[in-house]
Amino acid sequence: MAPFFSIPEMSLLRSEDMNLVQLIIPVESAHGTISYLGELGLLQFEDLNLDKSPFQRTYANQIKLGELEAELRELDGNLEKLKRTHSELTEYLLVLSKASTFFEAARNGATSYQRESSVSSMTREGSMDSPLLLEQEMQTDPSKQIKLGFIAGLIAKTKAASFERILFRATRGNLFYKQLPLDEPVTDPATGVKVEKLVFVCFYSGERARTKITKICEAFGANRYSFPEEHGKRWQLKTEVASRVTEIQSTIDASILERDTVLSAVSYQLEQWTTLVQKEKAIYHTLNMLSFDVTKKCLVGEAWCPVAAKVKVQDALRRAASDSNSQVSTIFQVLHSEELPPTYFKVNKFTEAFQQIVDAYGVPRYKEINPGVFTIVTFPFLFAVMFGDWGHGICILLATLWLVYNEKKFGTQKLGDIMDMTFGGRYVLLLMAIFSIYTGFIYNEFFSVPFHLFGDSAYRCRTPSCSDATTVGLIKYREEPYPFGVDPVWHGSRSELPFLNSLKMKMSIILGVIQMMLGIILSYFNATFFRSSLDVWFQFVPQILFLGSLFGYLSVLIILKWVTGSQADLYHVMIYMFLSPTSDIGDNRLFKGQERVQIILLLISFVAVPWMLLPKPLILRKQHLEKLQGRGYGVLRSSDADALDIDLDHEHEHEEFEFSEAFVHQMIHTIEFVLGAVSNTASYLRLWALSLAHAELSAVFYERVLLLSWSYHNPIILLVGFIVFLFATIGVLLVMETLSAFLHALRLHWVEFQNKFYQGDGYQFSPFAFSSLEDID
């Protein structure tokens, strides 16, 4: 149907026109073509290989870091092994040095009898170099000879006491245990961490005791090392180990130097390599979304493309074919598709944040009216209604102007989460501040202080002794009201709160009804654009009549009461409009014939409910039955039947209709709208509540903190009071109140405004673009 009137098209009002295109790319130029398209960033590719796992795709193994990664991994692995070996040899050297003192002390403390009785044995075996535990040859019965052994090693100092107790209990005291602390911590070979350790030597008797001690050492993480009993062998082994430690340390230093050299060379090209790898991964990921044709010589891809970008895409395809020296150019053709296209808006740095506010609720359906256009104005305005103070508005404006001035600097930096969110919404904050200054002038509030900016008050004192702090003694000396905003004489008077309560509450209702009416009107434009006459006649018309006959009428009464200065009780009027529509209004009459008008409006609202509920599902059912009756039957050839079966199946998918489902859906929609008309209107009273709360908090901080500290005439108290006032203003009014008003304005747009016309079930146009790789990463 042709619309009664239309609104001009703009790029942000409806999504850009989109086409599903098919690309047939020769294999030899596939990489270059996708690279050019990534630079262009105007195609959103469809995955044609959903039935394949990531490892089954053609280009799954193309991206590898290769030789440099292998070299670095090998260097790191070798370095770790060398460090572990160095730590083990260092511990071994300490064991050889410290444990030797046990044996030397035992030899030096031997009795002269032991020395004399072992003269012949020491002469045969090399005197003092012979083993300390050499079995006595004088024993004639080998079965009675005592076989002693020992285990030497290191254990952590924190475990030494427990280790000694467990050894004693396990061997039932049949052991000799000695330990000696090290001078400084050593690096543990297993963990690579410096630990304070003790050198221990445990003497035991029998194979069974050795097995127990070995298991206990493993359980406590004690490192055991072989220890020769002969002095000569110990000295020789100690020399060899010390030499080996020196060699390994030199090797470690050389390995570290080589690794640092490689990493230094990498650091100069790391950023370029990172970007290159990201691009290559993105290219091959996109290539994996394409499928081969039957000849295996071409790749076939499907992608969504803005209609306006078709020429740019074709030019990029020609350049890619030329650069790759391909004999065959890429074929570019538009496909017909019934799939819902993605939603794409051309946004800039100013409109992007407002669009994100809408997208956070839901991405607009393709070609649906975009609430972001209206949010640019309505969102900061509703915020300002709740945050009306031109002093606070100036503070936010200055902070926002600083962000805007330094946007090039901050745009290239990594900011924190809160700072990044604030910077991203800088233009939203800018309009919020400007509108807050405007509403602050209307409320005549500057940190809760009124000013005579637009002229003198319409009231003056009856006597010179009267105070401006109260209306007692004030008289109205001229008929002309204060030129702009609230007369400053109301501030601080006894009538301030009742007056502002009435003013802001009624203003909130009017603003709410206007915005809800706008939402219903936008549903009309959606219906006409999608050629849905049912939505126009059985959704838009009854909704506009229902809302207008009740809350639109209330808004008119509010304006009439302001204009005429009437004392009519609007609560009484609206209540008795439903309870007793034929009764006399009396003193609450605002215009002639008001009773008859109210009866007509009440009837219209009652008729609008079944108007929304019944006709649409009945008409849909009738249209469905007419389509079914229009199908005929006849003699078909087998080939025709096969072809027709496909068409009928496809048609059946789009013509499935359940009357009960349609009726229930319409009933839910009707109930939701009727109840929502009341609840949504009441929800706009948050404009009144938050505005009063902001004004009262501001007055409390000004009067009870700043003025109270001033009254003491003490510089220290005044300074403390000013600091408290400053932090309270910044923390509560400029931060918490700003966030609170922001969230309430967000709710009014998402729920009360957008639910009148907005589906929000689309999906975002996400083209393959190299410029977005950093954000994705």
Side-chain angles (χ1 to χ4, degrees):
M1 60 173 292
F4 297 114
F5 54 94
S6 61
I7 53 180
E9 293 293 329
M10 60 184 75
S11 60
L12 201 60
L13 184 64
R14 297 190 190 275
S15 172
E16 294 284 328
D17 293 329
M18 305 292 292
N19 277 337
L20 182 64
V21 299
Q22 185 183 62
L23 303 176
I24 302 178
I25 311 171
V27 173
E28 63 270 13
S29 63
H31 184 278
T33 300
I34 299 300
S35 178
Y36 270 96
L37 294 178
E39 296 289 349
L40 188 62
L42 289 173
L43 288 182
Q44 177 179 319
F45 285 91
E46 298 283 286
D47 193 351
L48 303 182
N49 297 312
L50 292 175
D51 57 332
K52 296 181 180 179
S53 68
F55 300 102
Q56 294 175 330
R57 305 196 180 207
T58 307
Y59 299 96
N61 298 319
Q62 291 298 123
I63 289 295
K64 293 180 181 179
L65 296 180
E67 297 179 359
L68 183 61
E69 180 189 13
E71 181 182 356
L72 288 174
R73 289 185 181 275
E74 185 179 0
L75 283 173
D76 285 338
N78 294 335
L79 187 59
E80 290 299 321
K81 292 179 181 178
L82 288 172
K83 287 182 177 179
R84 189 179 301 110
T85 304
H86 181 271
S87 299
E88 292 175 351
L89 292 176
T90 302
E91 286 192 348
Y92 196 8
L93 187 61
L94 291 172
V95 170
L96 291 173
S97 300
K98 296 292 183 180
S100 296
T101 59
F102 299 144
F103 290 83
E104 298 300 332
R107 291 184 182 279
N108 295 332
T111 62
S112 58
Y113 173 77
Q114 290 172 325
R115 291 177 182 274
E116 292 176 359
S117 62
S118 59
V119 168
S120 60
S121 298
M122 287 188 296
T123 303
R124 185 172 58 251
E125 295 294 335
S127 186
M128 294 299 291
D129 293 336
S130 63
L132 179 64
L133 300 178
L134 184 65
E135 300 172 2
Q136 302 297 326
E137 295 180 354
M138 294 182 297
Q139 295 179 347
T140 59
D141 188 0
S143 62
K144 294 182 179 180
Q145 293 178 358
I146 300 175
K147 296 181 179 180
L148 293 179
F150 66 93
I151 294 177
L154 286 92
I155 187 169
K157 188 176 182 180
T158 56
K159 301 178 181 179
S162 300
F163 179 65
E164 183 177 358
R165 286 197 300 269
I166 295 296
L167 286 176
F168 183 83
R169 292 174 183 174
T171 60
R172 298 182 180 181
N174 295 320
L175 83 161
F176 182 71
Y177 180 85
K178 296 289 289 183
Q179 64 183 23
L180 186 66
L182 299 178
D183 298 333
E184 58 185 15
V186 294
T187 303
D188 188 82
T191 62
V193 179
K194 284 189 174 296
V195 181
E196 292 187 357
K197 290 190 175 185
L198 301 173
V199 174
F200 70 89
V201 178
C202 181
F203 296 89
Y204 61 87
S205 174
E207 183 65 22
R208 187 175 180 182
R210 186 191 67 80
T211 303
K212 289 183 179 181
I213 295 173
T214 301
K215 291 182 178 180
I216 293 172
C217 289
E218 293 175 353
F220 277 83
N223 298 329
R224 293 172 290 113
Y225 296 95
S226 60
F227 188 85
E229 186 179 346
E230 295 85 351
H231 175 74
K233 290 184 178 181
R234 287 199 305 271
W235 181 83
Q236 182 180 0
L237 184 59
K238 183 178 178 181
T239 304
E240 293 176 357
V241 171
S243 176
R244 182 65 177 156
V245 168
T246 304
E247 292 176 0
I248 291 180
Q249 184 61 51
S250 301
T251 306
I252 290 175
D253 294 339
S255 299
I256 293 176
L257 180 61
E258 182 181 359
R259 186 185 63 177
D260 292 344
T261 303
V262 174
L263 292 176
S264 298
V266 169
S267 64
Y268 292 108
Q269 297 178 323
L270 181 60
E271 185 175 353
Q272 293 86 345
W273 286 358
T274 302
T275 303
L276 177 63
V277 170
Q278 287 179 338
K279 288 184 177 181
E280 290 296 311
K281 288 177 67 175
I283 290 172
Y284 286 113
H285 174 73
T286 304
L287 287 172
N288 280 329
M289 300 171 68
L290 278 56
S291 62
F292 279 97
D293 67 343
V294 293
T295 64
K296 301 295 183 179
K297 295 181 178 180
C298 293
L299 287 169
V300 179
E302 294 181 2
W304 291 103
C305 173
V307 174
K310 188 186 300 183
V311 176
K312 294 182 180 179
V313 172
Q314 291 175 332
D315 181 62
L317 294 177
R318 284 192 295 268
R319 287 187 285 113
S322 175
D323 291 348
S324 60
N325 297 321
S326 176
Q327 298 179 355
V328 181
S329 300
T330 299
I331 299 176
F332 178 90
Q333 57 186 0
V334 178
L335 300 178
H336 173 72
S337 174
E338 296 183 359
E339 182 183 352
L340 187 68
T343 302
Y344 173 50
F345 297 107
K346 292 181 179 178
V347 295
N348 51 39
K349 62 182 181 181
F350 177 79
T351 59
E352 182 180 8
F354 293 98
Q355 189 60 48
Q356 289 179 352
I357 291 176
V358 175
D359 292 345
Y361 176 83
V363 178
R365 179 184 292 184
Y366 179 67
K367 288 299 180 180
E368 181 181 32
I369 285 182
N370 180 23
V373 177
F374 308 94
T375 303
I376 294 175
V377 176
T378 58
F379 185 86
F381 178 72
L382 291 184
F383 168 87
V385 172
M386 296 178 278
F387 196 80
D389 188 302
W390 61 280
H392 298 152
I394 289 176
C395 293
I396 297 178
L397 179 63
L398 294 176
T400 309
L401 289 176
W402 176 71
L403 291 176
V404 173
Y405 180 77
N406 295 284
E407 65 180 12
K408 291 184 178 179
K409 172 185 175 182
F410 292 138
T412 57
Q413 294 180 354
K414 294 289 185 181
L415 307 175
D417 292 339
I418 297 178
M419 185 61 183
D420 185 65
M421 181 177 61
T422 305
F423 177 72
R426 60 194 181 279
Y427 289 105
V428 178
L429 290 172
L430 180 65
L431 289 187
M432 286 162 51
I434 293 174
F435 277 87
S436 296
I437 295 173
Y438 170 73
T439 55
F441 284 138
I442 293 179
Y443 296 156
N444 202 345
E445 290 187 0
F446 178 84
F447 296 98
S448 80
V449 180
F451 282 86
H452 295 76
L453 295 177
F454 302 101
D456 295 329
S457 171
Y459 297 86
R460 62 174 52 169
C461 295
R462 188 184 301 273
T463 62
S465 61
C466 72
S467 172
D468 288 339
T470 176
T471 54
V472 177
L474 293 178
I475 60 173
K476 188 174 183 178
Y477 73 96
R478 65 179 185 184
E479 292 299 325
E480 297 82 6
Y482 189 70
F484 185 83
V486 176
D487 195 320
V489 77
W490 291 103
H491 288 275
S493 68
R494 296 179 180 178
S495 304
E496 177 185 11
L497 193 57
F499 169 72
L500 292 180
N501 256 332
S502 176
L503 172 66
K504 293 183 178 180
M505 182 179 64
K506 293 179 174 64
M507 179 186 66
S508 300
I509 294 175
I510 293 175
L511 292 177
V513 171
I514 291 175
Q515 189 173 33
M516 288 190 292
M517 285 285 192
L518 174 62
I520 297 176
I521 292 173
L522 293 179
S523 70
Y524 163 79
F525 291 108
N526 272 336
T528 54
F529 182 86
F530 293 111
R531 302 181 184 277
S532 177
S533 58
L534 290 180
D535 288 339
V536 172
W537 293 109
F538 304 108
Q539 183 168 307
F540 163 72
V541 174
Q543 285 182 358
I544 200 76
L545 291 177
F546 182 86
L547 188 64
S549 61
L550 297 181
F551 299 102
Y553 174 63
L554 174 61
S555 301
V556 172
L557 292 182
I558 291 173
I559 296 174
L560 285 176
K561 182 177 179 179
W562 284 344
V563 172
T564 60
S566 172
Q567 298 298 318
D569 186 357
L570 299 186
Y571 297 104
H572 182 276
V573 172
M574 295 303 296
I575 290 174
Y576 280 90
M577 177 178 173
F578 289 91
L579 297 181
S580 181
T582 58
S583 61
D584 185 27
I585 297 179
D587 295 336
N588 294 320
R589 182 180 290 105
L590 288 169
F591 58 92
K592 187 177 180 180
Q594 184 174 347
E595 293 88 344
R596 291 192 296 273
V597 171
Q598 291 183 173
I599 292 175
I600 294 173
L601 293 177
L602 192 61
L603 291 175
I604 291 174
S605 65
F606 285 154
V607 171
V609 176
W611 192 347
M612 277 187 284
L613 175 62
L614 299 176
K616 185 176 178 179
L618 292 174
I619 294 174
L620 289 174
R621 180 175 180 272
K622 179 183 177 182
Q623 292 176 349
H624 177 69
L625 293 176
E626 289 176 352
K627 289 182 179 179
L628 292 179
Q629 291 174 357
R631 293 178 180 174
Y633 298 90
V635 179
L636 296 177
R637 297 185 301 272
S638 60
S639 59
D640 294 336
D642 293 339
L644 187 58
D645 284 341
I646 299 174
D647 295 338
L648 290 178
D649 291 340
H650 181 72
E651 185 179 359
H652 180 69
E653 292 177 1
H654 299 278
E655 291 190 359
E656 289 183 357
F657 177 80
E658 288 289 341
F659 175 74
S660 59
E661 182 179 347
F663 183 78
V664 170
H665 178 270
Q666 190 65 24
M667 181 175 63
I668 294 173
H669 181 76
T670 302
I671 295 174
E672 181 182 12
F673 177 81
V674 173
L675 297 180
V678 180
S679 64
N680 293 163
T681 304
S683 185
Y684 277 94
L685 293 177
R686 70 185 67 237
L687 299 174
W688 155 55
L690 265 75
S691 176
L692 284 180
H694 184 85
E696 291 302 315
L697 278 174
S698 182
V700 167
F701 292 149
Y702 175 71
E703 296 174 3
R704 301 301 179 186
V705 177
L706 192 61
L707 292 185
L708 184 62
S709 62
W710 182 272
S711 64
Y712 284 94
H713 303 289
N714 188 311
I716 298 178
I717 297 178
L718 179 60
L719 179 62
V720 172
F722 177 77
I723 294 175
V724 172
F725 172 77
L726 180 64
F727 279 94
T729 300
I730 295 175
V732 178
L733 296 178
L734 296 183
V735 177
M736 296 179 62
E737 280 287 304
T738 299
L739 181 60
S740 175
F742 180 91
L743 294 176
H744 283 284
L746 199 64
R747 184 247 154 75
L748 290 176
H749 279 78
W750 281 358
V751 180
E752 278 69 32
F753 174 54
Q754 292 181 185
N755 70 350
K756 302 294 186 298
F757 69 98
Y758 185 57
Q759 298 293 331
D761 56 355
Y763 63 101
Q764 194 74 43
F765 176 63
S766 301
F768 167 62
F770 292 148
S771 59
S772 62
L773 291 180
E774 182 177 355
D775 297 334
I776 294 175
D777 183 67

